[in-house]
Amino acid sequence: MAMIDSVLWYWPLHTTGGSVNFIMLINWTVMILYNYFNAMFVGPGFVPLGWKPENSQDSMYLQYCKVCQAYKAPRSHHCRKCNRCVMKMDHHCPWINNCCGYQNHASFTLFLLLAPLGCVHAAFIFVMTMYTQLYNRLSFGWNTVKIDMSAARRDPLPIVPFGLAAFAATLFALGLALGTTIAVGMLFFIQMKIILRNKTSIESWIEEKAKDRIQYYQLDEVFVFPYDMGSRWKNFKQVFTWSGVPEGDGLEWPVREGCHQYSLTIEQLKQKADKRVRSVRYKVIEDYNGACCPLNRGIKTFFTSPCTEEPRIRIQKGEFILATRGLRYWLYGDKILDDSFVEGVSRIRGWFPRNCVEKCPCDTETDPTPEGEKKNR
């Protein structure tokens, strides 16, 4: 739309400014689409199927993925959407229908930067198009403001007149441009914040849980994030390189002094064990069909459905669930299969309404509140 406005109404292509303006619009479009498709098709990079550390003793520090039949390399996580373990996984992005990770983190972040910049330029074109085309038709009451409109005048007049439909389309495009600038600009700010600390969104959450675990048990230890190089510039270069290819192989990473390759994975294993200890056993008292926003579970449950891609699980009366975290009206946990707590069995986990279950009497006094419940209250 910005190109159409630029060609037809603002600003004339036969002028130097108009030519530069049009070339800049094409430049934004090419760079945005290049980084967008690069992030989409290059992908994040996946841990090889069946991967295991060179030193077999190091496997004790790693989690094992039953789906990929491989150990999870440091900084990697399993994505339910991609159905693979992703190297340095940040998140799964529906915009690119792929994960953001080791190989495409730079392209994805550049897309988040270029999209708002292009939208700002487009918004300027839309505003000036409406102003110049309506300048002689409406009185804005700006008697004291003198603007030279000679550069915007077309002689002869434009082939397509700026009518009501064009005005409505331009106004609508302006709203989209401003909305995209704000929304995507905020995402860019969040991404740059974690990149300058050499983290991912998941690792930021792991670090928060590490501090919560230490505080909960009042332990005399300090968790140090191992991949922060101590300098924002060094952290920046871990993602952005002149060649476009990120440093390393996605399986081993440089660590700060005093840490080693498995500092983060050891903390993850501690959190996993802590989650089992702090989980609460619930018995299902009413059936739930796994709907995202169930109308039959009450208005509050309907409107407070978790805003996450994590699944909802179908539960039936009489089943048992281990809840590991929760909100005020929802719980998240693993369905207990065959009355077994052994991890070797298949896992069925997800969200379910709190009013469909009740805490088992034997666990009422002994089990703590599910992780996250107190914070969300």
Side-chain angles (χ1 to χ4, degrees):
M1 188 64 195
M3 289 187 181
I4 295 175
D5 282 10
S6 180
V7 170
L8 294 179
W9 301 298
Y10 184 87
W11 94 64
L13 290 180
H14 64 268
T15 64
T16 303
S19 300
V20 172
N21 172 68
F22 189 73
I23 292 173
M24 283 295 296
L25 286 174
I26 295 176
N27 183 55
W28 290 125
T29 304
V30 171
M31 290 194 299
I32 290 171
L33 291 179
Y34 172 78
N35 285 283
Y36 175 78
F37 288 113
N38 201 39
M40 179 187 294
F41 293 114
V42 170
F46 300 106
V47 177
L49 296 175
W51 181 87
K52 57 183 179 181
E54 294 182 2
N55 186 351
S56 59
Q57 294 182 349
D58 291 342
S59 61
M60 63 184 294
Y61 304 125
L62 300 172
Q63 300 182 63
Y64 187 78
C65 178
K66 300 171 187 175
V67 177
C68 299
Q69 296 294 305
Y71 286 95
K72 295 181 181 179
R75 310 190 78 175
S76 67
H77 303 274
H78 187 82
C79 175
R80 294 190 187 96
K81 300 289 186 180
C82 300
N83 204 33
R84 288 289 300 274
C85 285
V86 178
M87 293 190 290
K88 195 188 175 185
M89 178 177 175
D90 186 85
H91 67 286
H92 184 91
C93 179
W95 291 2
I96 62 175
N97 193 32
N98 211 334
C99 276
C100 175
Y102 164 66
Q103 292 183 349
N104 63 353
H105 201 175
S107 296
F108 180 78
T109 306
L110 286 174
F111 164 72
L112 296 183
L113 169 65
L114 295 170
L117 293 178
C119 286
V120 169
H121 188 183
F124 170 77
I125 299 298
F126 298 143
V127 170
M128 293 305 297
T129 296
M130 289 187 291
Y131 181 80
T132 55
Q133 295 303 310
L134 300 177
Y135 183 81
N136 294 324
R137 307 183 196 182
L138 300 175
S139 174
F140 291 93
W142 296 346
N143 296 327
T144 58
V145 180
K146 302 297 183 182
I147 302 177
D148 183 11
M149 303 299 294
S150 58
R153 294 196 186 99
R154 289 183 180 267
D155 189 18
L157 294 175
I159 300 174
V160 180
F162 189 78
L164 181 60
F167 173 76
T170 302
L171 188 62
F172 178 73
L174 175 62
L176 288 180
L178 295 177
T180 302
T181 301
I182 296 172
V184 181
M186 291 176 63
L187 293 177
F188 170 74
F189 174 78
I190 294 172
Q191 284 295 315
M192 283 305 303
K193 184 177 179 181
I194 61 177
I195 286 175
L196 293 177
R197 298 175 182 176
N198 202 15
K199 298 178 183 177
T200 64
S201 301
I202 295 177
E203 290 167 352
S204 297
W205 174 236
I206 292 174
E207 185 178 30
E208 288 184 15
K209 290 195 294 183
K211 296 176 181 178
D212 177 70
R213 181 184 63 83
I214 294 171
Q215 182 180 8
Y216 183 84
Y217 291 106
Q218 298 182 352
L219 302 175
D220 187 19
E221 64 179 81
V222 178
F223 175 73
V224 178
F225 186 73
Y227 304 114
D228 188 346
M229 298 290 98
S231 164
R232 291 185 177 182
W233 175 241
K234 291 181 179 179
N235 292 337
F236 181 84
K237 290 193 297 182
Q238 289 292 309
V239 177
F240 297 95
T241 60
W242 288 111
S243 64
V245 179
E247 295 187 0
D249 59 0
L251 300 174
E252 295 186 3
W253 307 90
V255 295
R256 65 187 300 167
E257 186 177 353
C259 300
H260 58 84
Q261 281 291 325
Y262 304 110
S263 295
L264 185 65
T265 59
I266 291 173
E267 174 59 33
Q268 289 178 262
L269 291 173
K270 290 180 180 179
Q271 293 179 11
K272 192 173 183 180
D274 177 52
K275 186 168 67 173
R276 295 194 198 98
V277 173
R278 295 166 68 173
S279 61
V280 181
R281 187 177 182 182
Y282 284 86
K283 182 179 181 181
V284 181
I285 56 175
E286 293 186 28
D287 293 348
Y288 165 60
N289 62 3
C292 181
C293 300
L295 288 170
N296 61 341
R297 304 315 313 168
I299 297 297
K300 293 181 179 179
T301 301
F302 176 82
F303 284 107
T304 58
S305 179
C307 297
T308 173
E309 292 185 352
E310 293 173 315
R312 276 64 169 167
I313 57 174
R314 184 191 302 269
I315 55 178
Q316 296 180 344
K317 186 176 181 179
E319 294 179 332
F320 291 90
I321 300 179
L322 272 181
T324 55
R325 51 191 165 102
L327 303 174
R328 188 170 184 179
Y329 298 103
W330 290 81
L331 290 171
Y332 183 92
D334 292 70
K335 186 183 293 187
I336 301 174
L337 304 177
D338 300 327
D339 293 330
S340 172
F341 291 91
V342 180
E343 260 190 42
V345 299
S346 302
R347 299 181 68 182
I348 301 177
R349 56 180 176 174
W351 291 95
F352 53 92
R354 184 184 288 270
N355 55 14
C356 289
V357 297
E358 66 177 4
K359 191 178 294 186
C360 292
C362 59
D363 298 335
T364 303
E365 299 296 330
T366 58
D367 287 342
T369 305
E371 182 183 350
E373 182 177 345
K374 294 180 181 178
K375 293 181 180 179
N376 287 287
R377 283 183 179 176

